[in-house]
Amino acid sequence: MTRDMIDWTMQARVEAFLYEYAASLDEERFDDWITLFDAAGCTYEVLSRENRDLGLPAPIMGCYSYGMVCDRVAMLVKGVLTYRHNHLLRQVGNVRVRGDAGNAGAELSVRAGLVVYQSDEEGVSSLYMVARYEAQLTDIGGSFLIRRMAVAVDSFGIDTMLAVPL
Amino acid sequence: MKQAIDPAWPRDDFSRVPYAVFTDAEIYRLENQRIFRGPVWNYLCHDIELPKTGDFVTTWVGDTHVIVARNGAGLVHAFENSCAHRGAKLTSAVRGNAAHLTCPYHLWTYTLEGDLQGVTFQRGVGGKGGMPACFEKKDHGLNKLRVAIYGGLVFGTFSDHAPPLEEFLGPHSLSQIDRLLVQRKPKVLGYLRQRIPGNWKLYNENVRDPYHGSLLHQFQVSFGLQQPTMRGGIKLDADLKNTWNHSIITEQDAASQKIVAEAYAGTGKFNPDLKMADPALTRVPLDLGDNYKTTILSMFPTLIVAQVDNTYAIRHLRPKGPDLVELHITYLGFESDTPEQTRDKLLTVNFIGPAGYISLEDGEALRLVQQGIRHRRPGGHEVLEMGGVGPIVDTDYLSQEISIRGFWSFYHQIMGLPAAGRAEATP
């Protein structure tokens, strides 16, 4: 795609959507995060580069229905899981959008880079995750709904654990 | 330094373990020498990962990087990933296929058995230079491990004194490997890697510790996957290093919520009303059909073969110093699985691994222990008394720490540490 072909309005809308996606997780507004997914049917997966390159199907985290996406964060909110509670900062960049612009119901294919930093309670920060978002979005006019979100992780040697979705 | 490498073991039933074994760099160095290069069988890979001639994988035996390759005769060989010439790493690939191995530095080549095959300019150039006449290629192979295979699991040892593999694994491991990995031909569904900031032996404790199973893992308890009242127990091998721990569904489990509620009273952790929006994950049937909810085979020093609900996995510990271990998981399905059974396994993988509803908590538990013992007064010991002290024996119940004491008993012996239970304090 050349610069001339970019639909800048669509680009800005998708970027704003991804920023809200990242911020809702950073700020632990999990109820807001799940509203970004299509309740009629969606998937969310975290995939390692290693398995992808080998053509192996197992995800690190795999939710194959809207209910499963809700469950992933419900287990955090309800205190079921004992996990390292770091502050996370997601940086989304190099956002690329493909698909029909502007038509309600249009399907968009979105890719973006993701870097996540973690900071502990004593203010020590480190790099937690290097990954890419690969999303299928439905344009619903004012916003989008996620039909499919795959987070492809380069840093698949995961530091301690992955409790909070990326 | 003496205190560092000679911590006190005050009780010879190993109900006290000195915290120094988890933090001390000198102990870690000795472990590499006496355990990983000692008379043990180290897990290397599964046979199915090397289907063709020339296939290789790289793995770790303690701190040593090892190549495991299948040669033209179909045999599996293992050797250090370090050139016999100047020590360079031969390959950075995790896996691949090669007719022979070539060192990138001076292009020396090795066979798939680890023997030196070619030395560039061995006879010199234009009649000048070259290796001396006394240089014999047969004297300069890669450092090799002895290899043995049981049930598709490939093991290697650097020692001439390791007992026969089957004797080392013990009867319970053999029969359960047959049950989990032999009666159906496994296939790899994926790899999961978790770098846990804790000592590698803390994970060995964790998998020999059914006491924590229904306490740390609220998810299991809330959805009836594991209950302290389940039938089960542990069985040890002859020298107490390897543990088979298992739990089995019984009819009484329906009534066990009441017992659990009483046990958890006041902890604020019990949540019987917890529901899942989509409970499909907890409804996947056990496809072996023998009612085992968990089978954890913990094999000294770094291998765990685990069935947790309907998941099957090989867990391999790759120590990275005293404070860090990579938990490398080979997640398995079976050649005979239907497409539906494969889909089920891509769902139940959510139980295990770095994002597993159950397993992610073990990573956190290890981190907390390592942090806790790093930042306390020097000295001190773990207290392992659940299930009783004294003889280290099999049990027919789950809330116990006896099998952890079995691990330490063997560890203490193979490390050649000063006798346990002596009265005087370490100088």
Side-chain angles (χ1 to χ4, degrees):
Chain A
M1 184 185 291
T2 66
R3 286 182 67 83
D4 294 342
M5 294 167 67
I6 293 175
D7 175 339
W8 290 105
T9 303
M10 179 61 73
Q11 177 77 20
R13 286 179 61 211
V14 169
E15 288 183 6
F17 179 80
L18 289 177
Y19 296 159
E20 169 56 16
Y21 175 103
S24 65
L25 288 171
D26 287 350
E27 295 160 15
E28 301 180 14
R29 291 186 282 111
F30 299 125
D31 286 347
D32 291 340
W33 181 68
I34 58 176
T35 66
L36 305 177
F37 288 82
D38 187 345
C42 58
T43 62
Y44 171 85
E45 291 177 290
V46 178
L47 305 165
S48 86
R49 172 183 282 280
E50 180 175 38
N51 289 340
R52 272 204 156 182
D53 289 351
L54 291 166
L56 297 173
I60 299 169
M61 186 187 282
C63 305
Y64 309 107
S65 69
Y66 181 70
M68 291 183 197
V69 177
C70 294
D71 287 333
R72 262 294 164 182
V73 288
M75 296 307 147
L76 305 176
V77 173
K78 293 178 180 172
V80 178
L81 297 176
T82 300
Y83 66 101
R84 185 181 52 176
H85 200 175
N86 277 335
H87 301 284
L88 300 176
L89 178 67
R90 292 164 180 76
Q91 294 280 287
V92 180
N94 194 16
V95 177
R96 291 175 296 152
V97 183
R98 285 165 199 263
D100 296 331
N103 305 319
E107 293 288 322
L108 297 176
S109 176
V110 173
R111 287 172 175 253
L114 171 68
V115 174
V116 187
Y117 298 95
Q118 58 186 354
S119 304
D120 69 16
E121 295 299 336
E122 295 191 76
V124 179
S125 304
S126 59
L127 179 63
Y128 178 45
M129 205 64 75
V130 178
R132 286 169 188 76
Y133 286 131
E134 299 174 6
Q136 295 290 328
L137 307 181
T138 306
D139 190 347
I140 54 166
S143 185
F144 304 96
L145 286 174
I146 298 169
R147 295 274 303 157
R148 174 174 184 268
M149 174 62 88
V151 189
V153 173
D154 284 351
S155 36
F156 51 83
I158 290 176
D159 178 4
T160 312
M161 64 169 61
L162 176 68
V164 182
L166 296 171
Chain B
M1 182 55 87
K2 183 150 195 272
Q3 185 171 4
I5 61 166
D6 185 17
W9 294 72
R11 298 193 186 177
D12 61 7
D13 65 356
F14 300 96
S15 59
R16 297 290 182 277
V17 177
Y19 285 127
V21 297
F22 301 113
T23 56
D24 190 282
E26 178 62 9
I27 286 180
Y28 182 78
R29 190 188 67 77
L30 283 177
E31 288 170 349
N32 270 281
Q33 177 187 322
R34 296 181 186 175
I35 296 175
F36 300 118
R37 289 181 168 271
V40 304
W41 286 99
N42 298 282
Y43 173 72
L44 299 177
C45 67
H46 195 288
D47 190 54
I48 54 173
E49 295 174 277
L50 306 168
K52 301 187 300 290
T53 296
D55 284 344
F56 69 88
V57 298
T58 56
T59 186
W60 296 87
V61 173
D63 277 348
T64 306
H65 203 207
V66 168
I67 299 173
V68 192
R70 187 181 298 282
N71 72 0
L75 299 174
V76 177
H77 292 262
F79 31 81
E80 287 182 9
N81 185 11
S82 174
C83 184
H85 175 211
R86 299 267 289 277
K89 193 172 179 175
L90 294 170
T91 179
S92 297
V94 172
R95 51 185 69 79
N97 183 278
H100 50 252
L101 296 155
T102 304
C103 178
Y105 199 176
H106 302 91
L107 306 184
W108 286 26
T109 57
Y110 298 89
T111 67
L112 296 170
E113 295 82 33
D115 296 321
L116 181 58
Q117 186 176 44
V119 173
T120 39
F121 304 138
Q122 184 176 355
R123 306 281 170 238
V125 178
K128 295 181 178 175
M131 301 298 274
C134 62
F135 180 87
E136 295 274 2
K137 282 192 283 198
K138 66 177 171 52
D139 297 333
H140 298 278
L142 301 173
N143 289 332
K144 297 175 185 175
L145 293 83
R146 208 150 51 87
V147 170
I149 301 178
Y150 184 84
L153 300 170
V154 180
F155 295 84
T157 182
F158 283 108
S159 169
D160 293 332
H161 304 292
L165 175 63
E166 296 184 15
E167 182 186 316
F168 182 80
L169 294 175
H172 305 307
S173 293
L174 300 183
S175 65
Q176 291 304 310
I177 289 168
D178 289 347
R179 175 176 154 259
L180 297 175
L181 301 182
V182 177
Q183 63 172 322
R184 298 173 293 173
K185 183 173 168 44
K187 64 178 178 184
V188 177
L189 293 178
Y191 298 96
L192 302 168
R193 297 174 187 248
Q194 192 169 353
R195 295 173 76 86
I196 301 174
N199 185 274
W200 67 278
K201 300 184 295 303
L202 291 174
Y203 198 83
N204 269 291
E205 290 194 321
N206 179 273
V207 289
R208 288 168 175 80
D209 168 19
Y211 179 30
H212 86 280
S214 58
L215 302 169
L216 174 67
H217 302 311
Q218 293 297 303
F219 185 91
Q220 279 186 308
V221 179
S222 299
F223 298 105
L225 300 168
Q226 185 75 17
Q227 311 253 320
T229 52
M230 267 182 184
R231 196 154 61 82
I234 53 148
K235 289 185 186 299
L236 302 157
D237 72 333
D239 41 22
L240 312 176
K241 66 188 183 304
N242 296 338
T243 300
W244 166 36
N245 100 44
H246 62 283
S247 64
I248 303 168
I249 300 173
T250 56
E251 288 182 10
Q252 61 162 1
D253 292 335
S256 67
Q257 289 278 343
K258 185 167 172 289
I259 299 168
V260 173
E262 287 167 7
Y264 284 54
T267 65
K269 293 281 281 182
F270 185 54
N271 189 354
D273 300 325
L274 192 67
K275 295 276 187 295
M276 295 189 85
D278 185 341
L281 171 61
T282 60
R283 292 180 180 167
V284 172
L286 296 172
D287 60 18
L288 262 185
D290 56 14
N291 284 341
Y292 276 77
K293 283 299 264 185
T294 55
T295 307
I296 311 287
L297 294 178
S298 305
M299 289 164 275
F300 195 94
T302 52
L303 172 65
I304 300 98
V305 172
Q307 171 226 339
V308 174
D309 216 81
N310 206 48
T311 67
Y312 300 84
I314 299 165
R315 307 181 195 168
H316 182 216
L317 297 172
R318 300 171 172 190
K320 308 289 176 193
D323 292 338
L324 181 68
V325 60
E326 182 189 89
L327 174 58
H328 181 277
I329 298 173
T330 306
Y331 186 60
L332 299 172
F334 299 93
E335 295 287 355
S336 57
D337 282 351
T338 63
E340 187 181 3
Q341 285 175 313
T342 298
R343 276 198 303 277
D344 283 346
K345 290 193 174 71
L346 302 185
L347 180 56
T348 52
V349 72
N350 285 285
F351 285 140
I352 68 161
Y357 279 127
I358 302 167
S359 301
L360 73 82
E361 297 180 312
D362 293 316
E364 177 65 355
L366 262 64
R367 187 185 73 85
L368 293 173
V369 173
Q370 193 76 21
Q371 292 265 310
I373 63 183
R374 265 262 174 241
H375 304 295
R376 59 180 284 146
R377 196 171 51 179
H381 304 85
E382 290 188 312
V383 176
L384 300 172
E385 297 195 9
M386 185 58 69
V389 294
I392 297 170
V393 293
D394 295 353
T395 71
D396 59 359
Y397 57 90
L398 288 169
S399 285
Q400 57 80 28
E401 294 171 317
I402 298 169
S403 37
I404 304 178
R405 294 196 284 120
F407 172 85
W408 289 116
S409 156
F410 187 79
Y411 173 88
H412 182 270
Q413 176 197 322
I414 197 170
M415 285 286 284
L417 298 173
R422 60 184 190 169
E424 76 274 18
T426 305

